[in-house]
Amino acid sequence: AADAELWDADGFCEEATGFDDEEEPAVPRKHSRFAPAVQELPACGVVLSDIRPTKRGRMALFFQDTAGEERFLFSVDGETCALQHLKPGVRLSGTQLEAVRSQSDLRRAKDRALQYLSVRDHASGELCRKLSEKFDEPTAAAAVAEMFRLHLLADAAFAVRRAAYLAQKGKSRREIGHL
C-alpha cells in the first residue's frame, strides 16, 4: 500500500528523475571498486515503456519519466528478460529492479568467468580478483562459487598443475613455493 502512494494515475513514479540526460543505452553498466554504478535506480520503481535489443545482444530497458520522456534504465541478458517476464507495461518496484539487475549481472559474471577459464586455468582468488574489476565483489564471489559447483575450479589441482608447469620451465622448488 505504501508503494502505491508513490505512483501517479499514469503509472509514473514521482521520484523517478535521477537520470543523466546525456546517458545512452549503448553504455554498459560496470560494477567495480574503481567505477561506481552509472545510475541509481528509482527507489519507487518504474513501468517499462520499451525493451529493445542492443548491439551486444542484450535487452535495453526503458521507462518514461514524469515529463513523458523515454529514459534508458539498464540492459539485461535475454534469459533474465524471459525469466522475469519483462515486457512493456510491466510495473517493477525498486526492489524488483535491483533483483533483475543483480540477476543479469550474475549471469554476465558467470559468462565472463567461463571466458577466463576457457583460456587457461585460474585459482579461485585470481578469478575472483579479475571478476571484481568488472563486477561488484558479491557478484564476483557468486560467479566463482558457481564455477566450483560446476567443478570448473579446483584450487588444489590448479596448484599441482601450476607447480609442474613452473618446474618444467626450470624454476627452483623455492621459487615455486613462493609463487
Side-chain angles (χ1 to χ4, degrees), residues 54-148:
T54 67
K55 292 179 183 177
R56 294 184 177 180
R58 294 176 57 80
M59 305 304 287
L61 305 180
F62 294 87
F63 76 102
Q64 287 188 346
D65 64 13
T66 54
E69 292 185 35
E70 191 167 71
R71 301 287 183 148
F72 171 71
L73 196 53
F74 55 87
S75 67
V76 299
D77 61 279
E79 182 178 336
T80 299
C81 193
L83 289 173
Q84 294 291 330
H85 308 288
L86 300 179
K87 58 185 176 186
V90 169
R91 181 178 295 194
L92 297 170
S93 69
T95 305
Q96 290 170 315
L97 283 171
E98 189 54 46
V100 167
R101 185 159 65 179
S102 293
Q103 181 180 354
S104 185
D105 286 348
L106 179 57
R107 172 64 187 244
R108 283 184 32 234
K110 290 189 292 188
D111 287 347
R112 181 60 56 107
L114 289 170
Q115 287 175 348
Y116 289 147
L117 292 171
S118 71
V119 174
R120 68 170 180 84
D121 286 338
H122 287 70
S124 60
E126 176 188 22
L127 183 60
C128 192
R129 189 172 47 257
K130 279 183 156 183
L131 292 172
S132 292
E133 291 173 5
K134 300 207 178 274
F135 305 97
D136 62 18
E137 290 185 28
T139 301
V144 169
E146 181 66 8
M147 298 303 110
F148 268 113

